[in-house]
Amino acid sequence: DALPICLGRLEALLRRIVDAPTPATEAEQRLANHAATVLHEPIWQAETPDISFPTVEEGFISPRFRLARCDRESRPADDTWWTKQEEHRDITGFLTAYLTDPASSERPLVVLGNPGAGKSLLTKVLAARLPTEVFTTFRVPLRVVAADAEIPDQVEASVKRLIHEQIAWAELC
């Protein structure tokens, strides 16, 4: 990556590749502003005031990853199965290709990993880096929404929690 830190190249590539259909709405801009705050937070919270850490933007390094298209034979819960999948280093290239592929709306991307591997931070950085004019982006942490609620209800609840405004699922789509 020319800009390996914090998926900076992803944002630049997407801005060049994808034509913005319309400017971001005020609500979309507020969601994007909320997502971008993560870049200025410390990458690790120190318990003592004498220690400081770089910001997420300064300290996040694009991870290596393994990629698989799953079928009935796949065993994504088995670590041994994953060791047989090829390791990749260009997550920016992969995400750019995935996010600009029209089929991605029918093929969800699932991020798996052990506790502490950086899944949450990756999704926070991704939300912060996607261009507002093209993507309406925010995280829906499953720990803070009703597990038995329908997905549209979980999304609406997350938006309301983030920007204190009720926006209907249909409007977000």
Side-chain angles (χ1 to χ4, degrees):
D1 278 6
L3 293 170
I5 297 176
C6 210
L7 298 180
R9 191 171 66 114
L10 174 68
E11 183 177 12
L13 284 171
L14 289 172
R15 284 190 188 284
R16 280 187 296 209
I17 293 172
V18 182
D19 290 327
T22 58
T25 66
E26 183 182 329
E28 289 169 331
Q29 190 60 56
R30 289 197 344 257
L31 286 166
N33 292 345
H34 184 275
T37 62
V38 73
L39 298 176
H40 308 292
E41 296 172 356
I43 200 159
W44 186 262
Q45 296 292 331
E47 294 186 20
T48 61
D50 331 357
I51 300 173
S52 63
F53 289 91
T55 65
V56 169
E57 188 168 34
E58 296 165 335
F60 179 86
I61 298 173
S62 298
R64 293 173 299 175
F65 63 102
R66 295 179 191 274
L67 176 65
R69 285 202 174 136
C70 291
D71 56 27
R72 294 186 189 277
E73 310 300 314
S74 301
R75 298 187 332 262
D78 179 357
D79 286 343
T80 307
W81 180 79
W82 279 109
T83 61
K84 296 175 185 168
Q85 308 306 314
E86 182 182 351
E87 185 177 279
H88 299 273
R89 294 181 180 270
D90 184 14
I91 198 163
T92 295
F94 165 72
L95 288 171
T96 301
Y98 177 80
L99 293 168
T100 57
D101 182 352
S104 66
S105 63
E106 298 171 9
R107 261 191 349 249
L109 176 63
V110 178
V111 179
L112 302 173
N114 292 322
K119 301 175 299 292
S120 292
L121 185 58
L122 173 65
T123 62
K124 288 177 184 178
V125 170
L126 185 57
R129 288 299 191 186
L130 293 178
T132 311
E133 313 80 54
V134 182
F135 299 94
T136 302
T137 309
F138 55 93
R139 295 180 66 245
V140 180
L142 299 180
R143 290 183 184 107
V144 299
V145 294
D148 58 346
E150 296 290 324
I151 290 174
D153 297 332
Q154 291 177 340
V155 168
E156 289 174 5
S158 289
V159 169
K160 187 171 186 176
R161 185 179 54 80
L162 293 172
I163 63 170
H164 310 291
E165 180 180 335
Q166 186 70 41
I167 301 176
W169 167 262
E171 187 180 340
L172 286 167
C173 290

